[in-house]
Amino acid sequence: DQQVKQNSPSLSVQEGRISILNCDYTNSMFDYFLWYKKYPAEGPTFLISISSIKDKNEDGRFTVFLNKSAKHLSLHIVPSQPGDSAVYFCAASEDTDKLIFGTGTRLQVFP
Amino acid sequence: EPEVTQTPSHQVTQMGQEVILRCVPISNHLYFYWYRQILGQKVEFLVSFYNNEISEKSEIFDDQFSVERPDGSNFTLKIRSTKLEDSAMYFCASRGSSGQPQHFGDGTRLSIL
């Protein structure tokens, strides 16, 4: 039951460039989407979210885009920094309740 | 910044024993959750808790599992008779009102021998 999918297990980006992480979902009832960042031995850290009534939300270097017709969202990080190297999880929910997570994308930002 | 805290960070238990994982959610939060992540797999929802009762539970959350909020600050997950397949990272999360994101603790690594 893969309601939320992150098809790229890893991504490598040069410092200063844009990182684009992608996520697809299948459940049209999802109305709230989030991105979390996770370092080893730590819990997921909330980054940014978007409601289904919007198609873009921006917070500093992080922007999330939502394409409801394609059931696709993406996280853009500009500019990428070495400290951004982590595993990024996409998650989705109905009514902001239980989260359904993707499998994660490991981002590596190199100098 | 307020955070969710979980204890212990690592718990090693013999199969068949009971284990209690503890969480202190963010103080003004109203909704509480447990998730788990088996090594190499995705984070999975276990249970949600609001107003002193379970709101929803997954099929993983069988009769061996229970949750409790024994006082105004702690939120616990009990596994009555542990199995080898219960070995995983267990994450507690909490959130405030509707529209607010869930915030996670750093997890408890549960190892069943």
Side-chain angles (χ1 to χ4, degrees):
Chain A
D1 178 19
Q2 292 196 51
Q3 296 187 70
V4 179
K5 286 187 260 191
Q6 294 176 256
N7 291 318
S8 299
S10 65
L11 176 67
S12 190
V13 171
Q14 189 171 32
E15 181 179 7
R17 309 284 274 226
I18 185 171
S19 295
I20 300 176
L21 297 102
N22 294 302
C23 178
D24 297 294
Y25 63 96
T26 56
N27 187 345
S28 56
M29 298 301 290
F30 288 148
D31 57 8
Y32 185 58
F33 304 88
L34 309 90
W35 284 94
Y36 286 85
K37 171 181 176 179
K38 188 178 181 303
Y39 294 116
E42 294 184 13
T45 299
F46 170 71
L47 272 179
I48 192 167
S49 62
I50 187 166
S51 161
S52 59
I53 62 173
K54 295 186 174 182
D55 53 20
K56 176 182 173 181
N57 189 26
E58 193 171 351
D59 183 2
R61 296 186 298 116
F62 302 93
T63 303
V64 55
F65 295 92
L66 176 63
N67 181 334
K68 288 187 289 294
S69 60
K71 294 191 177 68
H72 178 84
L73 65 155
S74 61
L75 174 68
H76 292 209
I77 307 173
V78 179
S80 301
Q81 299 172 354
D84 296 330
S85 297
V87 178
Y88 288 77
F89 290 97
C90 164
S93 73
E94 296 178 45
D95 296 330
T96 69
D97 206 45
K98 71 175 183 187
L99 297 177
I100 308 298
F101 281 86
T103 49
T105 297
R106 182 177 302 278
L107 173 66
Q108 183 180 9
V109 180
F110 59 93
Chain B
E1 186 171 326
E3 56 183 29
V4 176
T5 56
Q6 290 185 245
T7 54
S9 56
H10 191 190
Q11 174 79 46
V12 182
T13 302
Q14 290 287 332
M15 186 173 62
Q17 295 296 304
E18 174 183 286
V19 66
I20 298 176
L21 309 183
R22 303 183 190 278
C23 170
V24 179
I26 294 172
S27 63
N28 61 346
H29 281 187
L30 303 174
Y31 298 83
F32 313 111
Y33 305 84
W34 284 99
Y35 293 83
R36 79 172 186 190
Q37 186 179 28
I38 294 171
L39 188 64
Q41 298 186 22
K42 59 171 66 177
V43 177
E44 302 174 284
F45 167 78
L46 289 178
V47 65
S48 57
F49 192 87
Y50 170 72
N51 201 26
N52 280 320
E53 60 184 27
I54 290 174
S55 309
E56 185 175 358
K57 56 185 180 180
S58 72
E59 58 189 28
I60 302 168
F61 195 90
D62 62 22
D63 292 343
Q64 295 301 314
F65 290 86
S66 62
V67 289
E68 194 177 35
R69 189 156 161 81
D71 51 43
S73 59
N74 289 284
F75 180 50
T76 61
L77 174 69
K78 182 194 290 187
I79 309 174
R80 204 174 352 266
S81 178
T82 50
K83 303 187 283 282
L84 292 175
E85 54 264 38
D86 294 328
S87 296
M89 282 292 291
Y90 287 80
F91 294 107
C92 173
S94 69
R95 71 172 171 91
S97 57
S98 182
Q100 298 293 308
Q102 293 179 30
H103 294 271
F104 285 75
D106 283 341
T108 293
R109 179 174 298 284
L110 179 62
S111 300
I112 306 301
L113 305 179

